[in-house]
Amino acid sequence: MHFKKTKIAAITAAIALTMGTAACSPGSTQASEGGVSGEVKLLTPIFEGTPGQKLLEDELLPEFYKKYPDVKVNVDYTTYGKLNEKLTTSIVSGGVPDVMLMGVGWIENFAAQGVLADLGKTGLTRDKLLDSYTESIVDAGMYKDGVYGVPIMLDTRFGVARMDLLAKAGYTAPPKTWDELVEMSKALTVRDGNGSLQQAGFDMLSLDPRQAFETMLFSAGGSLFNADSTEPEFNSKAGVDALQLMTDLINTHKVEDLGYSSAGAAVNPLLNGRAAMGIAHNNLFTQAQESAPEILDQLQPFAITGSEPGMFFGGTLATVSSKTKNPKAAQALLEFLTSSGPALAANQQRGNVPAETALLDSDYVKSNRFVQFAMENLAIAKREGGPAKWIQIRGDFTPAIEAALLQKESPQKALDDLAAAAKSAIQP
C-alpha cells in the first residue's frame, strides 16, 4: 500500500498524541524501568515498503531509543508469505530473532517447539492483559497456560453492502439473516442478455477461501476445533451448513460465477460496482479512501448472521525468543511496540484494527467506519488456529472448499476428508 504525505503526517500526529502513554504499555513490567541494554534483532512482516520502514525507523525507534539509549535494534523486514520459511530457517540455524512479530494461529506452533518465551513469567499475565484486550484477543497469544504473544493489530472479515446498489433494488438495510442474504443476493445479481455476470449479488471470491468459509462457519455458530484443540469441529452440522450455503449461492442461486473475482484481484468488486454485497477485509475502507472516495458513504459493514452474528479476526502479535541473550531489552522492545502510540501508528499505516480496547476512542478509529465497526463488535469475533499444527493444517482448507464450490465433492465429504487430515496432523 502506498501512502500520501497527508497520511504520513496523520500517523506522525497520532504518535505524538499517544507516545506519552507508550511506556505504559498494556501490562507493562519491570522491563520498562532503567538499566536495560544490549543488541536485539526484530523480525517483522509489518512496516513493509518505504512508508512502513520510514515509520518504524524515523518515527518509532527514535522514541524507543530516548527511553533505552543503550539498546540497539536491528530490523529484519519480511512478508507474511515468507515469514514461516524465515522463522523455520532461523530455528534450524540457531539464529532465532530476539523479537518476532507473527500471526494469530502461529503462536501455538512456535510455543510448542520451545521457541517463544513465556511472557507471563515476567509479569505479562493473562489477567493483566485482560485489562486492555478482549478475552478472545488475549487467548490468541496463549498456548496451554502460558502467554507467548501480545497483540498489536487485528485483521477482520465481515459483510459489506453497497447501499446505493441496494437502494436501486428497493432495500434499505443489509441482510439480517441467512435467508435474507440469499433473497437479497439473488435480487441484486445482474446479468446481461447473454447471461454474462455484470454485478455479483454477494461476492465471496475476493477473499481467501479459508477465511470466507470461517466467517460463514462462525455465523452458523460453529467452531474450527473443540475447546482444547484436540478434535476438529468444522465438519459439524454448522460447518456443513456454512459450506453448503456458499456452494448454493454460486451453483444454485448463481449470485457469483467462479472466476469472476479472486483474492488477488487488483480492485475489489465492491469498489467498482461489480458486486453489491460481499465478505471483505476491514482495509476495504482505506482502499476506498484512496481509490474511490465518492462511494465511501455507500459502504456499510454488517455482521453476517445465521444462528448468530459472525465475524472473523486474525492479526499480528509480538513475541520474544526463549533463547534471547538480552531478555530485558527484548521485552522492552515488545512492550514498546505493543503500547498505545506505536500500535496505533502501525494500524493506521496499514488501515488495520487496533487490538487495544482503549484505542476505540482514537481519532483514527473514529474516522474509519470499518475499523470502528470491527472494534465495536469484537465480542462476536472468532479467530482461526488452536492446535500447534495449525500452520500445517490451514493449507488444506482452500482445496477442500474449492472442491465443494466446484461440485467435485459434497460439502459434507469435503469437510470430513479435511477433518480426517487435520486429526491425523494433531494426533499422528
Side-chain angles (χ1 to χ4, degrees), residues 387-409:
K389 297 290 186 179
W390 170 249
I391 295 179
Q392 172 185 333
I393 295 168
R394 68 176 190 165
D396 295 331
F397 271 75
T398 291
I401 293 163
E402 289 178 342
L405 297 182
L406 290 166
Q407 296 185 297
K408 293 181 177 179
E409 292 185 352

Side-chain angles (χ1 to χ4, degrees), residues 25-63:
S25 63
S28 62
T29 69
Q30 291 303 310
S32 294
E33 302 299 329
V36 179
S37 63
E39 190 167 334
V40 292
K41 182 178 181 181
L42 168 66
L43 177 62
T44 173
I46 62 175
F47 304 111
E48 74 277 21
T50 300
Q53 185 172 343
K54 180 178 176 61
L55 172 62
L56 180 61
E57 296 184 9
D58 295 353
E59 303 290 344
L60 299 182
L61 288 180
E63 292 295 331

Side-chain angles (χ1 to χ4, degrees), residues 161-316:
R162 276 284 300 265
M163 296 310 298
D164 54 338
L165 302 181
L166 266 64
K168 288 181 180 179
Y171 296 106
T172 59
K176 297 180 176 61
T177 65
W178 273 9
D179 287 342
E180 286 188 11
L181 176 65
V182 172
E183 172 206 324
M184 292 174 63
S185 297
K186 290 164 64 177
L188 290 162
T189 302
V190 177
R191 295 180 182 272
D192 65 17
N194 296 319
S196 178
L197 184 62
Q198 304 298 304
Q199 176 181 291
F202 187 73
D203 170 45
M204 297 174 289
L205 303 178
S206 297
L207 201 64
D208 181 294
R210 182 187 78 250
Q211 295 168 352
F213 167 71
E214 289 170 342
T215 304
M216 301 303 286
L217 168 68
F218 298 154
S219 79
S223 300
L224 286 168
F225 300 95
N226 61 0
D228 59 3
S229 298
T230 57
E231 295 280 347
E233 290 190 346
F234 50 77
N235 62 328
S236 65
K237 183 179 185 303
V240 174
D241 287 348
L243 187 52
Q244 185 68 62
L245 175 61
M246 295 174 66
T247 302
D248 288 346
L249 283 168
I250 289 176
N251 296 291
T252 302
H253 307 306
K254 300 188 183 302
V255 305
E256 186 171 32
D257 293 342
L258 292 171
Y260 183 73
S261 188
S262 70
V267 179
N268 188 290
L270 285 162
L271 297 184
N272 58 17
R274 296 181 67 244
M277 299 188 297
I279 306 175
H281 186 287
N282 53 261
N283 69 9
L284 184 69
F285 191 83
T286 303
Q287 293 175 34
Q289 284 179 314
E290 299 189 346
S291 64
E294 68 279 3
I295 67 163
L296 277 174
D297 291 342
Q298 304 300 331
L299 294 173
Q300 182 167 328
F302 67 95
I304 296 173
T305 304
S307 62
E308 62 185 53
M311 188 168 79
F312 163 95
F313 83 87
T316 303

